């Protein structure tokens, strides 16, 4: 005889369903019902559903539509986590839906139900029945762990050699179930002998199916039973996994598509380089369009900055873009405006100066190179040595006097600071008119012949005067400094230049000697020639300012103020 049967609950006769409901609800017929609390079950599954949904939301909302940080298209690993989370959502949603459907259909809670003549699994619409009429014996075992009760295992052993276990985790319920099973089984036997049909239907609610020799059984014992188990345990989970995977893929794609649209609209609205580059790096559908529009977006940003540097970068970065003519035109306009600004503050009478500066700007624009080097050409050590030798020869005409040498006070170490000060002031004067990416003056020791430069050459010559000290036997030579200044532009005939000769004052009446001594006292030896050089370079700086800038303009006045 078969032991295991399975029925479709909806296919059962109406009277069998009534008997099942009656027996489940009546403790006089039901040996044991193993079900989970409805409230606890729904809370647990609702919690799992809520947590999985919330995590999906957090993953989807993270950096959503942020063009710089939303990398979801590239992060395909999110598909796995979406699949896991959607499996949790699908599983719990299906379980809740199924439980609601079963509770409505059964009109009692799904679970395991033990009757005197049947062990019924009613956790799904497929009712699994173990026929206890074929029971050979029932064994019960109490399991303990560390001396504490853990569970009771009921082993139902059938005549065909098969076995089914029922586990009860409450000792009192297990003992009550064992006692009731034996008592109710005896009562069922007694009701059968007495033809007590009402009691028989209570103890065996599937009596009508049994009478029909289980013809409505959808499953069979033996090997088919194992197939049924595999079907029950694998078919639904596989379907749920497949559904979760499909939902995860659709959600991943849909979420990214919406985020892509947001990134695209954000970039179009912001019209900034970062927004466009962010979309190009992390977007998908409009990448080609954004790449084509990027040069013009950057061009608009450069226009707002009025920066030649930014415009030059566009030429280098997008050498084949259609905006290049507009970029060139805008660069030319910035240079034109810079020239007009210079003309407004320069000495208008000096036409060669204006042409030279205009040539400087033209060279800078054509070569994308704003640098103008300021180079000083000093007297060589040989020339200074010859000067000292010439002065030394004059000592013969001076009785008991010694001429102090000049060379040490015009050597590299002595004049470098003065040259740097003049170069710095010239640079400041021009930087107040020209942005550094249009014209930038800076000191340089080596000048490239292919670059424009402001060259200042000077010589030191004796004036013929000898200035004697009243308190010592020292004599100082009067000096003349000759400066030749010119703006040199490669391949340009226009060369602005001027010459300046500075005669040193008679010793010691000079305001350039920085001394704490009284005016009637002589300065220290080291200050005498230093004061002469300082005066000469100050006059050179003053002459450059007067030659280039009108005395009533802001640049000249600022230079004068800095000298005070």
């Amino acid at each position: 005889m078969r032991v295991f049967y399975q029925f479709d609950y909806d296919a059962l006769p109406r009277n069998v369903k009534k008997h099942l409901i009656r027996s489940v609800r009546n403790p006089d017929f039901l040996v044991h019902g193993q079900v989970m609390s409805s409230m606890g079950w729904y809370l647990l599954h609702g919690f799992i559903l809520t947590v999985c949904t919330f995590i999906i939301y957090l993953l989807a909302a993270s950096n959503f539509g942020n063009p710089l940080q939303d990398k979801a298209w590239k992060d395909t690993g999110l598909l796995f986590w979406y699949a896991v989370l959607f499996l949790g959502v699908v599983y719990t949603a299906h379980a809740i839906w199924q439980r609601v459907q079963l509770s409505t259909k059964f009109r009692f809670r799904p679970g395991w139900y033990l009757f005197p003549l049947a062990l019924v699994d009613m956790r799904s619409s497929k009712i699994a029945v173990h026929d206890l009429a074929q029971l050979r014996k029932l064994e019960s075992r109490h399991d303990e762990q560390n001396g504490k009760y853990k569970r009771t295992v009921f082993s139902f052993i059938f005549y065909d050699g098969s076995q089914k276990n029922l586990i009860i985790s409450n000792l009192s319920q297990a003992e009550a179930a064992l006692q009731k099973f034996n008592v109710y089984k005896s009562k069922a036997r007694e009701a059968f002998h007495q033809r007590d049909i009402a009691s028989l239907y209570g103890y065996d609610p599937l009596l009508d199916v049994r009478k029909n020799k289980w013809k409505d059984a959808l499953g069979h014992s033996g090997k088919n039973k194992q197939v049924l188990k595999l079907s029950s345990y694998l078919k639904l989970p596989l379907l749920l996994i497949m559904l979760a995977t499909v939902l995860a893929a659709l959600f991943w794609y849909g979420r990214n598509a919406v985020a892509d649209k947001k990134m695209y609209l954000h970039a179009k609205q912001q019209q900034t380089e970062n927004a466009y580059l962010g979309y190009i790096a992390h977007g998908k559908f409009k990448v080609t369009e954004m790449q084509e529009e990027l040069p013009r977006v950057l061009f608009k940003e450069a226009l707002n900055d009025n920066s030649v540097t930014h415009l030059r970068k566009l030429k280098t970065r997008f050498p084949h873009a259609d905006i290049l003519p507009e970029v060139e035109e805008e660069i030319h306009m910035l240079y034109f405006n810079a020239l007009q600004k210079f003309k407004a503050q320069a000495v208008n009478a000096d036409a060669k100066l204006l042409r030279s500066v205009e040539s400087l700007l033209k060279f800078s624009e054509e070569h994308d190179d704003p640098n103008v080097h300021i180079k000083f050409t000093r007297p060589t050590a040989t020339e200074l040595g010859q000067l000292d030798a010439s002065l030394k020869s004059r000592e013969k005409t001076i009785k008991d006097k010694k001429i102090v040498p000049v060379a040490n006070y015009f050597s590299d170490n002595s004049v470098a600071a003065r040259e740097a000060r003049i170069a710095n002031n010239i640079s400041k004067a021009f930087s107040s008119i020209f942005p550094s990416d249009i014209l930038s003056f800076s000191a340089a020791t080596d000048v490239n012949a292919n670059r424009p430069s402001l060259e200042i050459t000077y010589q030191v010559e004796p004036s013929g005067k000898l200035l004697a000290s009243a308190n010592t036997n020292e004599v100082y030579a009067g000096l003349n400094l000759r400066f030749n200044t010119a703006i040199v532009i490669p391949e340009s005939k226009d060369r602005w230049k001027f010459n300046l000769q500075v005669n040193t004052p008679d010793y010691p009446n000079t305001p350039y000697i920085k001394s704490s001594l009284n005016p009637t006292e002589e300065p220290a030896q080291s200050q005498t020639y230093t004061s002469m050089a300082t005066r000469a370079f100050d006059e050179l700086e003053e002459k450059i300012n007067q030659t280039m800038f009108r005395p009533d303009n802001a640049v000249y006045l600022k230079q004068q103020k800095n000298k005070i």
Side-chain angles (χ1 to χ4, degrees), residues 343-468:
K343 287 181 177 180
Q345 303 194 54
V347 177
N348 296 329
D350 193 341
K352 186 167 286 191
L353 171 64
L354 296 178
R355 287 197 302 270
S356 293
V357 173
E358 187 173 357
S359 296
L360 280 177
L361 293 172
K362 182 179 179 181
F363 184 93
S364 174
E365 180 180 355
E366 291 177 350
H367 294 80
D368 289 332
D369 186 356
N371 294 306
V372 179
H373 290 160
I374 303 175
K375 180 186 178 183
F376 286 86
T377 302
R378 309 163 182 166
T380 64
T382 301
E383 291 172 335
L384 291 174
Q386 292 175 351
L387 172 62
D388 281 343
S390 173
L391 295 176
K392 184 70 173 178
S393 65
R394 295 189 61 186
E395 286 184 352
K396 299 177 183 179
T397 61
I398 306 172
K399 186 178 181 180
D400 298 329
K401 296 289 183 179
K402 181 179 181 181
I403 299 177
V404 178
V406 174
N408 289 339
Y409 301 96
F410 290 92
S411 63
D412 293 349
N413 294 335
S414 298
V415 298
R418 302 186 192 101
E419 293 174 357
R421 177 170 58 83
I422 291 179
N424 184 56
N425 288 336
I426 293 174
S427 175
K428 287 181 179 180
F430 277 95
S431 66
S432 63
I433 299 176
F434 301 109
S436 60
D437 52 7
I438 290 181
L439 275 185
S440 177
F441 286 78
S442 60
T445 54
D446 296 323
V447 176
N448 189 329
N450 296 322
R451 290 175 176 268
S453 61
L454 174 62
E455 298 184 6
I456 302 174
T457 304
Y458 60 92
Q459 295 292 330
V460 180
E461 302 172 351
S463 66
K465 295 181 179 180
L466 294 177
L467 310 175

Side-chain angles (χ1 to χ4, degrees), residues 22-35:
R22 174 172 169 253
S23 296
V24 167
R25 293 178 176 178
N26 193 336
D28 293 334
F29 300 121
L30 179 65
V31 175
H32 177 73
Q34 188 166 295
V35 297

Side-chain angles (χ1 to χ4, degrees), residues 2 43 50 83 108 146 198 268 271 280 293 359 363 375 382 415 430:
R2 294 168 183 157
L43 286 176
T50 302
F108 55 81
N146 298 326
K268 297 286 285 186
Q271 292 289 301
I280 291 171
E293 292 182 4
S359 296
F363 184 93
K375 180 186 178 183
T382 301
V415 298
F430 277 95

Side-chain angles (χ1 to χ4, degrees), residues 9-188:
Y9 181 82
D10 294 327
L12 290 177
R14 185 175 182 182
N15 62 317
V16 175
K17 295 179 181 178
K18 288 183 178 180
H19 293 320
L20 274 172
I21 295 172
R22 174 172 169 253
S23 296
V24 167
R25 293 178 176 178
N26 193 336
D28 293 334
F29 300 121
L30 179 65
V31 175
H32 177 73
Q34 188 166 295
V35 297
M36 185 178 183
S37 167
S38 290
M39 181 61 69
W41 190 93
Y42 281 115
L43 286 176
L44 174 61
H45 285 72
F47 176 76
I48 295 173
L49 179 63
T50 302
V51 169
C52 290
T53 304
F54 183 66
I55 295 176
I56 290 173
Y57 166 77
L58 290 180
L59 289 176
S62 178
N63 300 319
F64 181 81
N66 186 322
L68 301 180
Q69 297 178 337
D70 193 339
K71 305 176 183 178
W73 283 117
K74 297 179 180 178
D75 191 1
T76 53
L78 283 175
L79 276 169
F80 171 78
W81 293 110
Y82 281 141
V84 171
L85 293 168
F86 270 104
L87 180 60
V89 171
V90 170
Y91 169 77
T92 52
H94 176 268
I96 292 172
W97 175 83
Q98 187 181 52
R99 189 172 181 89
V100 170
Q101 293 295 314
L102 290 178
S103 297
T104 303
K105 182 183 295 187
F106 295 163
R107 287 189 284 175
F108 55 81
R109 286 183 288 175
W112 283 92
Y113 291 94
L114 176 60
F115 301 100
L117 295 176
L119 176 60
V120 186
D121 181 1
M122 299 189 66
R123 292 177 297 173
S124 70
S125 60
K126 295 290 186 181
I127 301 175
V129 180
H130 290 80
D131 185 8
L132 297 186
Q134 304 299 320
L135 184 66
R136 184 167 63 86
K137 66 176 179 178
L138 171 63
E139 295 179 352
S140 63
R141 183 183 76 250
H142 298 301
D143 291 340
E144 294 183 353
Q145 186 176 13
N146 298 326
K148 293 184 179 181
Y149 172 81
K150 184 178 181 182
R151 64 183 181 177
T152 299
V153 180
F154 287 93
S155 298
F156 297 89
I157 303 172
F158 300 94
Y159 287 113
D160 66 353
S162 63
Q163 178 177 319
K164 177 65 182 178
N165 294 332
L166 177 65
I167 299 174
I168 302 177
S169 300
N170 185 289
L171 180 60
S172 299
Q173 290 181 4
E175 291 176 344
L178 181 60
Q179 182 181 3
K180 289 171 69 176
F181 180 77
N182 293 324
V183 172
Y184 287 3
K185 190 171 184 180
S186 297
K187 287 184 177 182

Side-chain angles (χ1 to χ4, degrees), residues 295 311-325 327-328:
L311 293 170
R312 284 180 181 141
K313 288 180 178 178
L314 289 180
K315 292 169 60 179
T316 304
R317 189 171 174 183
F318 307 105
H320 305 296
D322 60 356
I323 62 168
L324 289 186
V327 172
E328 295 284 2

